[in-house]
Amino acid sequence: DTTIVLNTIHPQPKAGFSISRAAICLGDNVSFTSTANGGDGTITDWNWNFNDGSLPATGQVQSHLYTNAGNYNVSHFITNSHGCNSDTISKPFKVYAQPTVNAGPDVFVLEGGTATLEPVYTGEDNIYLWSPSDYLNSTSVPRPVTTPLADITYNISVTNPGGCSISDEVFVKVLKGPKIPNTFSPNGDGINDKWIIEFLDTYPNCKVVVFTR
């Protein structure tokens, strides 16, 4: 009988990597760092696929710039000094486009009334923050309701998990209830000579009509 010692079988290396950020905004760089285990050999090659049509990359640490927003599955494997390839590991990664917001034109509210602020947004997974919080029913919804007691300017800030952020402002004008006298005496005695409607100045571009019953 002949016995041959076979010492050319090696354990498979184990792939692994970390990502510097869970998500980014379009235009930001992101870093990928291999945490692979080479088994009983040393790592000689690091292989990366960024799932965006770019050429595969090599190196233990990779910095990558995505040119399109979207969801990506980044995959990685290594080769050790014995020529053994590891398993291939994949992790999801998201690139967000810059959100947009248009807070809209000035809002006019009658004294004691309410109004819904209705900005126009674009973007995914948006996080909303209104300030100040005065007179609002919520500061974290996209279209809150305000019950203002005085004129106020609101700022809406829109952020997403990638770190993209943008803001805009909207002015809310409170129209106080006009007090309309039903008589006046323009006789020059200095008493009630003028017909004065209180708070009329708070109504921009208003039209006053006088008529008989």
Side-chain angles (χ1 to χ4, degrees), residues 50-87:
F50 298 115
N51 192 217
D52 63 346
S54 61
L55 294 175
T58 60
Q60 184 176 6
V61 180
Q62 287 292 318
S63 180
H64 192 70
L65 178 65
Y66 285 90
T67 57
N68 293 291
N71 293 288
Y72 299 92
N73 282 310
V74 179
S75 58
H76 170 58
F77 74 91
I78 60 99
T79 304
N80 69 10
S81 53
H82 297 300
C84 300
N85 290 332
S86 71
D87 56 333

Side-chain angles (χ1 to χ4, degrees), residues 8-181:
T8 57
I9 299 177
H10 305 279
Q12 185 181 26
K14 186 70 175 177
F17 67 94
S18 62
I19 307 176
S20 60
R21 294 170 60 184
I24 61 169
C25 193
L26 187 62
D28 291 344
N29 277 297
V30 59
S31 294
F32 302 91
T33 303
S34 176
T35 58
N37 185 339
D40 64 348
T42 58
I43 300 175
T44 57
D45 292 296
W46 293 266
N47 296 273
W48 300 91
N49 187 324
F50 298 115
N51 192 217
D52 63 346
S54 61
L55 294 175
T58 60
Q60 184 176 6
V61 180
Q62 287 292 318
S63 180
H64 192 70
L65 178 65
Y66 285 90
T67 57
N68 293 291
N71 293 288
Y72 299 92
N73 282 310
V74 179
S75 58
H76 170 58
F77 74 91
I78 60 99
T79 304
N80 69 10
S81 53
H82 297 300
C84 300
N85 290 332
S86 71
D87 56 333
T88 298
I89 186 173
S90 296
K91 291 185 179 181
F93 181 74
K94 187 160 188 174
V95 179
Y96 284 90
Q98 179 74 26
T100 66
V101 57
N102 182 346
D106 294 348
V107 176
F108 299 94
V109 184
L110 289 176
E111 184 179 25
T114 62
T116 301
L117 305 180
E118 298 186 352
V120 177
Y121 304 101
T122 64
E124 294 183 84
D125 307 325
N126 288 339
I127 302 167
Y128 306 97
L129 179 61
W130 290 88
S131 63
S133 61
D134 302 6
Y135 317 127
L136 294 178
N137 67 332
S138 175
T139 60
S140 58
V141 297
R143 293 174 177 82
V145 175
T146 179
T147 310
L149 301 178
D151 296 350
I152 190 169
T153 298
Y154 289 113
N155 178 279
I156 171 59
S157 176
V158 182
T159 309
N160 62 34
C164 316
S165 182
I166 195 169
S167 62
D168 198 13
E169 292 184 341
V170 61
F171 176 69
V172 177
K173 177 72 175 177
V174 176
L175 303 177
K176 295 187 177 182
K179 298 179 180 179
I180 306 175

